[in-house]
Amino acid sequence: MALIRNSKLRPRILVVGGGSVGLLTAQNLLKNLGRGEATVTVVDPNPYMTYLPFLPEVAAGSIEPRHAVVPLRRNLPGAEVITAKVTSINHAEKFATIEPENDEAFELDYDHIVLASGSVARALPIPGLKENAIALKRIEEAVALRDHLLSRLADAALMEDDEERRKALTFVFVGGGFAGIELLTELEDMVRSAVAQYETLTEADVRFVLVEALGRVMPEVGEAQARWVVEHMRERGIDVYLETFLQDCTDKHVKLSNGEEFDADTIVWSAGVKANPMLIDSDLPINERGNVTVRADLRVEGDDGVVEGAWAAGDNAAVPDLSGGGVAGFCVPNAQHAVRQAPVLAANVLAALRGETEFKQYFHKTIGSVAGLGLYKGVSQMGDFEARGLLAWLMHRAYHGYAIPTMDRKVRVFGNWFLSAVLGRDAMPLADLDVPRKNFVEAANSKPAPKKEAAKA
């Protein structure tokens, strides 16, 4: 393993993760650091930040995939951006192990570390789940899911076997939180629109199923709004099963706890998230859920007190919610908190770097929740104000169009929405993205044309 130790000419602030917290923290640091005061190093497996609230709309074709991501190098001039994984952290000696995908791992030292590695899908040990399901945490998953659903329509249109057709057109979504509901309803809207292009298919052939373990959906909104969402989905023909568990999906044969069994070619897992498991390979304090434990000023804190030089925020941190509105006393893992924690985190890191001892406390009272449920349909709750339908959908788009970082991405996203409104939804799948060399390999393996015999004199 290559060693890059004691290599700093100036203090290094290592930002682990280039998501919302990582990108915005690094931007605020670069903006306020003095010339030569410190080096900001950002490490992430991807060269871009993904705006997660837009993944359902990317999957449904309302936003182009590249417009829902923010390139790190372009938007962090002056920072070191390393496209690689952080595989372990030794804070006692203040170095992290960095592993590029196609190069040798090395160790990188630091003075302050910012843990902003986000979350990953929380999968359960359900038979067949890891072999057959797909989650939605990355832009690549959104594109793959969109193309998969549309290709299932094309395949089903040619199927003569009723059972095979029914399997191809059955789409199961597990998890009734915000992410799961938005994804299901956006894709249901897209699929039913695309069905109209096939003479051999009707909307009655398509089946969408929601499986939710709790007795309600979308815990971020009130009971009345949650009940309306369930009624709305059922009116659209979606089968909603509450207080129901996925027990098995081996060979894409779905077994539910309510006794129902059926085949489904598409199983989407949206039943919660967990902190990045990379944190387990560190000597920093984590709780029973794998989150880094922090104070309200975003300094990492263990049983022995504050861990100097270590900071965390976002989905990988258990941040106390001083407003009293959080779940179990902590901020919920969403973009609303992430974009507001980042400036506080950057200000406190700068204060510590400059020897100050007073730090800002993170406090934010949630302004409410907005969700899109397909084109021109939505639900929102802002305090006591509740909206449904078109108004809520407009609020959803206005808020997230404003919230995505950088003016470049805002313009592109609003441009996508305008063009879709004028030209209609684009329901065109792209084939073989996962095997781009397929056609070339087939051509290379094809038989050569037979040689013609020379004409006889």
Side-chain angles (χ1 to χ4, degrees):
M1 179 183 294
L3 299 177
I4 302 181
R5 302 284 298 279
N6 300 318
S7 60
K8 310 184 303 298
L9 298 176
R10 52 191 178 185
R12 173 180 284 118
I13 302 170
L14 176 60
V15 181
V16 180
S20 293
V21 171
L23 170 66
L24 296 175
T25 298
Q27 283 184 326
N28 278 274
L29 287 169
L30 293 166
K31 179 181 178 181
N32 294 291
L33 279 167
R35 184 181 180 88
E37 188 176 7
T39 296
V40 177
T41 302
V42 179
V43 183
D44 193 275
N46 298 310
Y48 49 77
M49 178 275 261
T50 302
Y51 190 67
L52 295 178
F54 279 157
L55 290 185
E57 291 202 53
V58 170
S62 295
I63 296 175
E64 285 297 312
R66 285 182 177 83
H67 298 169
V69 299
V70 179
L72 296 178
R73 286 186 175 85
R74 177 178 176 181
N75 290 283
L76 293 175
E80 291 180 343
V81 177
I82 301 174
T83 303
K85 292 181 180 179
V86 174
T87 56
S88 65
I89 297 169
N90 185 332
H91 191 69
E93 297 188 32
K94 290 194 173 179
F95 71 88
T97 302
I98 313 296
E99 187 176 307
E101 185 172 357
N102 298 308
D103 205 348
E104 186 180 2
F106 60 91
E107 293 174 350
L108 186 68
D109 54 3
Y110 61 82
D111 294 274
H112 289 268
I113 188 168
V114 174
L115 298 166
S117 55
S119 59
V120 299
R122 178 176 60 88
L124 299 179
I126 298 171
L129 183 67
K130 69 178 182 180
E131 293 84 4
N132 298 309
I134 185 172
L136 192 70
K137 289 290 292 178
R138 304 184 64 207
I139 199 74
E140 295 82 358
E141 290 171 325
V143 175
L145 189 56
R146 164 186 165 78
D147 291 341
H148 171 74
L149 263 66
L150 293 173
S151 69
R152 291 286 70 200
L153 292 183
D155 293 341
L158 300 176
M159 291 178 181
E160 296 182 357
D161 185 283
D162 288 341
E163 289 188 8
E164 285 299 313
R165 174 184 283 213
R166 192 176 301 114
K167 178 180 179 180
L169 297 179
T170 298
F171 310 109
V172 178
F173 292 73
V174 184
F178 248 63
I181 296 294
E182 284 192 300
L183 179 61
L184 187 162
T185 51
E186 287 283 356
L187 288 176
E188 186 266 352
D189 206 39
M190 177 194 73
V191 166
R192 295 198 185 280
S193 174
V195 163
Q197 301 174 14
Y198 295 90
E199 293 183 0
T200 57
L201 297 179
T202 68
E203 290 191 26
D205 295 321
V206 176
R207 184 187 184 194
F208 278 82
V209 180
L210 173 67
V211 180
E212 169 54 45
L214 300 179
R216 58 163 294 176
V217 299
M218 302 178 81
E220 297 87 347
V221 301
E223 288 281 355
Q225 291 289 74
R227 286 195 300 270
W228 178 84
V229 170
V230 171
E231 293 170 0
H232 172 76
M233 288 193 293
R234 285 174 172 161
E235 288 174 358
R236 288 165 60 167
I238 300 170
D239 293 334
V240 180
Y241 297 127
L242 302 178
E243 298 181 312
T244 304
F245 299 88
L246 174 65
Q247 293 183 327
D248 197 319
C249 58
T250 303
D251 297 327
K252 297 189 176 181
H253 181 71
V254 175
K255 296 181 181 179
L256 303 181
S257 61
N258 62 6
E260 186 169 353
E261 297 185 23
F262 53 87
D263 291 330
D265 259 353
T266 306
I267 301 167
V268 183
W269 182 261
S270 299
V273 297
K274 64 180 180 181
N276 195 311
M278 173 273 300
L279 298 170
I280 298 173
D281 293 318
S282 76
D283 55 355
L284 294 166
I286 59 176
N287 62 16
E288 67 281 357
R289 297 178 62 85
N291 299 89
V292 183
T293 53
V294 301
R295 296 162 55 100
D297 58 16
L298 307 179
R299 287 185 291 172
V300 174
E301 182 180 45
D303 294 336
D304 298 325
V306 171
V307 180
E308 297 296 337
W311 312 78
D315 292 2
N316 69 178
V319 181
D321 190 340
L322 300 183
S323 74
V327 178
F330 297 101
C331 297
V332 296
N334 62 21
Q336 187 176 148
H337 281 295
V339 299
R340 289 169 174 80
Q341 288 168 3
V344 176
L345 178 52
N348 287 345
V349 171
L350 282 174
L353 189 69
R354 294 164 180 169
E356 300 174 16
T357 57
E358 294 294 325
F359 302 105
K360 296 180 179 180
Q361 304 283 300
Y362 174 71
F363 177 91
H364 172 67
K365 185 175 181 179
T366 180
I367 58 177
S369 301
V370 290
L373 304 177
L375 288 179
Y376 315 118
K377 300 174 283 289
V379 62
S380 68
Q381 184 160 348
M382 301 290 185
D384 294 331
F385 176 75
E386 298 178 345
R388 303 166 183 173
L390 178 60
L391 175 59
W393 179 78
L394 291 171
M395 293 170 65
H396 160 76
R397 287 206 160 178
Y399 174 76
H400 287 297
Y402 164 79
I404 187 172
T406 78
M407 183 57 66
D408 167 68
R409 261 33 191 181
K410 296 180 198 295
V411 171
R412 292 179 188 272
V413 165
F414 278 104
N416 285 175
W417 287 337
F418 174 76
L419 291 175
S420 293
V422 174
L423 302 176
R425 187 196 291 278
D426 187 350
M428 182 67 193
L430 296 176
D432 301 328
L433 283 178
D434 55 336
V435 282
R437 296 179 63 250
K438 178 182 176 182
N439 285 354
F440 174 73
V441 172
E442 289 177 351
N445 291 333
S446 62
K447 294 180 180 180
K451 294 181 179 179
K452 294 183 179 180
E453 294 184 8
K456 294 182 179 180

